[in-house]
Amino acid sequence: MERRFASHPNEVKQFDTERLRKEFHIPVIFAPDELKLVLTHEDRMIVGGANPVNGEVALTTDLKELGVTYFLERRELGIINVGGPGSVVVDGTEYEVDFKECLYVGQGSKDVIFKSADSAKPAKFYLNSAPAHQSYPTTKTTLAESESGAMGGLENSNERTIHRFIHTNGVQSAQLVMGMTQLKPGSMWNTMPSHTHPRRMEAYFYFDLPDDSIVFHLMGEPTETRHIVMHNEQAVISPSWSIHSGVGTHNYTFIWSMAGDNKRYDDMDPVGMKELQ
């Protein structure tokens, strides 16, 4: 498991492109038959992926890094499949998780195994894990079951649908909040006008993006913005003091996840367009 340290805005404004990517960009989420994990000290979120192709992949890592005897001893886990049909086995109970479906796994679950239904079309399980102070039941939800709402408009190139999976009014968790935003054809902008939420960090995972397209992910203080170029199936860490927005050369889908002091999706500090620099 790779480790990333927390950051201070006064330091980040000095970063060049290489350093910015090294600290916040996660270029590889999926590798065949591997578990890829990145632990960030921003609210101790873990971002990663499991890509079972020829066999099963287990949720395991060097537990010394977490100071526990098993991965979810003091953590919870959110899973969204962005690949072919698959399943997740949690302490002997198997849950089928199809494309763009979500599974929440509560604190205290000991054995988590990822499987693909077809090695020719393997599942790709995107993972977010946050520390947990309370155990909630393992629960599956789908796009149809999620709390969804339309936002933006084609005239501003930001027509999109937001699906909330793990949140106060949906699948219950200790602190993890997780969902998915799908941009309509002809729309490229997300989360603009932008905002910060100093009480929570966030991670973005971009996918459904053609190989020859990119997303410019915007971050930094509102008066000290920076950008990171993102390709398909890559993730980025957003500190609580940073904006998190983006524009692509093609419409795309992204998964957002948050951890911090509360689970209120609408708890954010808006940033006016004229404030951005």
Side-chain angles (χ1 to χ4, degrees):
M1 180 164 57
E2 182 184 350
R3 183 196 299 179
R4 306 282 182 93
F5 290 100
S7 57
H8 192 287
N10 287 344
E11 180 187 14
V12 173
K13 69 177 66 175
Q14 319 282 342
F15 289 178
D16 61 12
T17 299
E18 182 180 1
R19 178 72 187 280
L20 201 68
R21 294 176 69 84
K22 180 180 179 181
E23 299 295 339
F24 302 106
H25 180 234
I26 306 176
V28 180
I29 292 291
F30 301 116
D33 297 314
E34 288 187 29
L35 180 72
K36 304 286 287 186
L37 298 174
V38 173
L39 167 66
T40 171
H41 283 242
E42 305 285 353
D43 289 302
R44 300 288 298 182
M45 173 79 83
I46 292 177
V47 179
N51 181 207
V53 178
N54 300 305
E56 302 173 349
V57 174
L59 180 67
T60 184
T61 188
D62 180 4
L63 296 176
K64 183 179 178 181
E65 184 73 44
L66 303 178
V68 293
T69 57
Y70 58 95
F71 193 97
L72 294 178
E73 181 178 339
R74 299 184 60 83
R75 282 184 166 270
E76 58 190 352
L77 177 68
I79 304 164
I80 297 178
N81 186 4
V82 299
S87 61
V88 183
V89 183
V90 182
D91 290 339
T93 300
E94 188 161 358
Y95 300 85
E96 293 185 359
V97 184
D98 210 340
F99 184 57
K100 294 183 178 177
E101 293 184 341
C102 176
L103 182 70
Y104 169 82
V105 183
Q107 175 197 12
S109 301
K110 290 188 175 181
D111 297 312
V112 181
I113 305 294
F114 303 98
K115 300 165 62 176
S116 290
D118 183 355
S119 61
K121 297 179 181 178
K124 293 181 177 180
F125 297 104
Y126 175 64
L127 313 176
N128 290 133
S129 176
H133 59 274
Q134 184 175 348
S135 179
Y136 288 90
T138 296
T139 306
K140 176 187 168 182
T141 189
T142 66
L143 284 175
E145 296 167 337
S146 68
E147 181 181 86
S148 302
M151 288 193 70
L154 191 58
E155 68 277 10
N156 291 319
S157 299
N158 65 359
E159 187 178 10
R160 61 200 190 275
T161 302
I162 299 177
H163 303 277
R164 302 177 186 92
F165 293 133
I166 305 170
H167 66 117
T168 302
N169 298 321
V171 176
Q172 294 301 295
S173 68
Q175 71 158 318
L176 184 66
V177 180
M178 195 172 184
M180 178 188 301
T181 299
Q182 297 179 292
L183 277 74
K184 299 292 182 65
S187 289
M188 292 85 168
W189 279 98
N190 76 71
T191 324
M192 185 62 77
S194 60
H195 62 261
T196 63
H197 30 72
R199 294 152 292 279
R200 300 192 307 270
M201 64 79 66
E202 190 158 5
Y204 273 15
F205 169 76
Y206 292 97
F207 71 110
D208 277 351
L209 190 67
D211 288 341
D212 60 350
S213 296
I214 59 173
V215 172
F216 288 90
H217 178 84
L218 304 178
M219 65 164 296
E221 294 177 284
T223 57
E224 288 282 351
T225 59
R226 303 288 188 270
H227 76 265
I228 296 176
V229 175
M230 309 289 299
H231 293 270
N232 189 45
E233 297 184 350
Q234 294 184 342
V236 62
I237 299 163
S238 179
S240 59
W241 50 263
S242 173
I243 67 167
H244 35 282
S245 183
V247 61
T249 59
H250 190 281
N251 67 302
Y252 51 90
T253 303
F254 68 98
I255 296 170
W256 42 267
S257 58
M258 295 179 278
D261 284 328
N262 64 41
K263 297 190 293 180
R264 285 181 48 200
Y265 176 83
D266 61 352
D267 179 21
M268 56 189 73
D269 296 349
V271 177
M273 298 292 271
K274 293 183 179 180
E275 298 178 55
L276 292 173
Q277 296 183 34

